[in-house]
Amino acid sequence: MKRQQMHGLAMALMLTTALPAAAAHAQAATATSAKPWMNPKLNADQRADLIVAQMTQDEKLTLVFGYFGSNQEKPKFTPSPEARMGSAGYIPGIPRLGVPPQWETDAGVGVATQRESSDPYLERTSLPSGIATAATWNPELAYKGGAMIGSEARDSGFNVMLAGGVNLAREPRNGRNFEYGGEDPLLAGRMVGAQIRGIQSNNTISTIKHWALNGQETGRMTVSSNIGDAAARQSDFLAFEFAIENASPGSVMCAYNRINSTYACENDYLLNEVLKKDWAYTGYVMSDWGGTHSTAKAANAGLDQESAYTFDKQPYFGAPLKAALADGSVSQARLDDMARRITRSMFAHGLFDHPVSKKPIDFTAHAKVTQADAEEAIVLLKNDGGVLPLTRTARTIAVIGSHADVGVLSGGGSSQVFPIGGMAVKGLGPKGFPGPIVYHPNSPLKALQARNPGARITYSDGSDPAAAAKLAADSDVVIVFAHQWAAESQDYSLTLADNQDALIDAVGAANPRTVVVLQTGGPVLMPWLSKVGAVVEAWFSGTNGGEAIARVLTGEVNPSGRLPITFPASADQLPRRTIDCDPAKPDDFCDVDYDIEGAAVGYKWFDQKGHAPLFAFGHGLSYSTFGYSDLKTSVAGGALTVSFKVTNTGKVAGKDVPQVYVGPKANAGWEAPRRLAGFKKVDLAPGASTTVSLTVDPRLLATFDSKAKTWNIAGGAYEVSLGASSRDLGAKAEVTVAAAKLPVSYDAPK
Ligand code: BGC
């Protein structure tokens, strides 16, 4: 039964069993007068004040103390029957006051299942990974994807989704980059913010995470991310700031790592000062699973809820918090604030007014949503001699490697969504966390065959490069699928694993009409690049990834993804040649010096150093061509507006992403020559044009003054560049901007 039909049925039942209108009204009024916080006409602040005033101390303590939602071997833990088995977390409700439980599920690509659970996996729709959605540069798609997974969360019985990963990709080898929004604060903040808004459109709270500077997985529970205040505010913090303004996430999840030697979840600077004071954040801070390290220190620094306490060395917020309140090391006002923040978000995001209930999910409709995202995420990196799109004249096609005969790869760890219909390949990867390696059963090969019924498509698993090269030589076109599995808790190398470079090299040498399809969570090196005709970055493409890849390869979809992360030509170009900390000693304290690059993350570092990347931030080809003209700038009321015309100068319809970069003409103390200041995804028929107008957020013209706590714009001349990537800048304009100072509390106009 479809969701719409369910709705109709539920309505009919309600009508036949309904009380007469006057009686129902009287009953509701009595309920509201007994529980005045249930009056939806009051705002979330008023409702939270009213309910907290009625809570006993133990009820407040209930709200701030989280349980795991799944069975655990070590420590032995069986969750309450009321928890959703296999889930990430559960916080009991307070039935006396009508406070619903908080049922928490991971994460950013859909409803995940915890591996500790002995219960069957939930099979749910998976979006492409976060970095893939960022590669669409299309906030509307991110919103739609968020709305879809948020509805699956709600219809699976959850009201809190642990999504919204927005850590900047400072370290291209970070094993969790695939969950995040890339390396630029504007792009990441907009894309992840749009996804959070989508999730929360379902009367569901979404987190934003992992606050902050959670830049690598090596030593993730102990590493200290060391950085100065201004550099952090102009980079990693700014991504959070943009997303929070855009989406008002109900909760912020503090990170595992330390910041300047203090754990994120007991870091007064991070939680109280930046988040709650400077940005006036009104939601609550929950710890990451195992991220709480103290009672009074954490509570006083601004942590509002200890998550899944069994992951911590001991429970910190249960009985120990009660004791800390009794001995005065935590004030009553602080506990009241914690309870108030949690209930405020629950009111603001509909958790009281719209109780969750499990409902059937329309997986067919949702497959279309994830496929649209995956299609726009695919980045055509190289296409020499028109190898792509595949034409019907290719009679023999070789498909090689990466289980492309049966499915598409996904990223691993707590965000893992288990496929509808089961895993395409079983028994891969680590037995414990962050395994298994999961392939969604959506075969690129079958999707290609369906679109080329006349072609003979032969599959080789790629384990024997010589045999694969022989097949390649005998084929009109070759499609090699290469992959780099990425997963929470481990970083990876820029070099493709399992001898795949040698495989691609051999195949490319045998047939230059070779297309490489990469399934990675971030950049990899491509020593074979000159030997192949085309390269496509498909990321981890989600439930319908095979269809999406085939549609792009065959030209049914014109590729329009753009890189949200720089692909380096070598590790020598990075701020750190190797990753700090020792993966063999995860409990040892270690440091990573982010002051090396400061706010110059990704392309900004490459621009500052003059390094030539393998593929630049913002890069992506199309089967069409686009021209830019009429670049104009204007400054009104202190705001810089940039407008220009985009024309599809090619023969096929397609989407393009014109990008505006801004930089000061004279040294204004910026971290890099220029910053991304605006972008727009446009959809144009051949020959068609559109005019785009973008207003630049003034913080992108400013540097942060930590002492005065102001964003300072230096008056003077700025260069505005319009282009197709950070390294493909065409038209330039000069604009004079007046000096200005903005308060630390500055918010983008809504
Ligand atoms: C991850 C979080 C996740 C949590 C709950 C942690 O290991 O870092 O991103 O939400 O687990 O599963």
Side-chain angles (χ1 to χ4, degrees), residues 67-115:
Y67 297 81
F68 193 39
S70 309
N71 289 314
Q72 250 173 333
E73 281 304 316
K74 281 185 213 155
K76 194 96 191 127
F77 174 78
T78 308
S80 142
E82 214 197 3
R84 308 291 190 220
M85 186 52 82
S87 72
Y90 165 72
I91 291 100
I94 308 171
R96 183 181 79 86
L97 302 174
V99 182
Q102 294 160 61
W103 286 289
E104 299 171 324
T105 182
D106 285 298
V109 293
V111 179
T113 304
Q114 296 284 327
R115 254 50 50 76

Side-chain angles (χ1 to χ4, degrees), residues 88 106 114 162 176 209-210 253 256 288-289 414 488:
D106 285 298
Q114 296 284 327
L162 309 174
R176 293 188 88 174
K209 69 187 188 184
H210 308 89
M253 187 190 291
Y256 283 142
D288 198 348
W289 276 227
S414 61
E488 179 180 343

Side-chain angles (χ1 to χ4, degrees), residues 593-683:
D593 181 6
Y594 286 147
D595 279 326
I596 295 175
E597 73 275 32
V601 178
Y603 67 92
K604 294 171 183 165
W605 170 262
F606 277 68
D607 286 351
Q608 185 206 95
K609 296 286 168 204
H611 293 321
L614 187 63
F615 291 108
F617 174 82
H619 170 74
L621 304 171
S622 163
Y623 298 146
S624 193
T625 50
F626 297 90
Y628 306 144
S629 57
D630 298 349
L631 174 63
K632 291 189 193 101
T633 60
S634 65
V635 182
L640 170 62
T641 298
V642 182
S643 70
F644 51 87
K645 196 165 138 190
V646 194
T647 305
N648 183 342
T649 51
K651 294 200 176 62
V652 286
K655 295 182 180 172
D656 184 37
V657 188
Q659 300 155 41
V660 170
Y661 294 82
V662 179
K665 292 288 276 186
N667 179 13
W670 283 31
E671 69 280 3
R674 63 192 74 83
R675 300 169 178 162
L676 178 71
F679 62 90
K680 175 86 183 159
K681 192 140 203 181
V682 296
D683 188 2

